[in-house]
Amino acid sequence: MAVPKRRHSKSRSRKRRSQYYNELKAPQLMECNNCGHPKVMHRACPECGYYRGRQVVEVPEEIY
Ligand SMILES: [Zn+2]
């Protein structure tokens, strides 16, 4: 297998990463389609447990 002969410079790595910098930031948030609660995209809603129009997880009741 080919092996890199020289280490990339910081500049080179940073130039590459600048192209997808947005993806490295905090996960995107969206409003739940069911309850409107802000939630992380591609994850079930923590408020109602819904994802893609149906309930996929039970919402744990708060325990104190
Ligand atoms: Zn919800």
Side-chain angles (χ1 to χ4, degrees):
M1 218 171 100
V3 171
K5 194 165 188 177
R6 295 196 65 84
R7 183 179 191 274
H8 281 183
S9 66
K10 288 174 191 171
S11 161
R12 186 170 162 162
S13 299
R14 286 166 187 172
K15 266 185 223 164
R16 171 166 32 84
R17 277 170 202 158
S18 71
Q19 292 173 3
Y20 58 97
Y21 177 70
N22 287 335
E23 293 174 29
L24 300 175
K25 282 198 227 167
Q28 267 188 296
L29 292 176
M30 63 173 285
E31 283 180 9
C32 173
N33 288 327
N34 189 58
C35 70
H37 187 83
K39 71 176 197 71
V40 180
M41 285 190 85
H42 308 124
R43 296 290 183 274
C45 172
E47 276 295 298
C48 62
Y50 269 63
Y51 184 65
R52 293 184 68 180
R54 66 187 187 92
Q55 188 160 18
V56 290
V57 289
E58 295 294 320
V59 179
E61 288 178 30
E62 292 184 48
I63 305 153
Y64 284 107

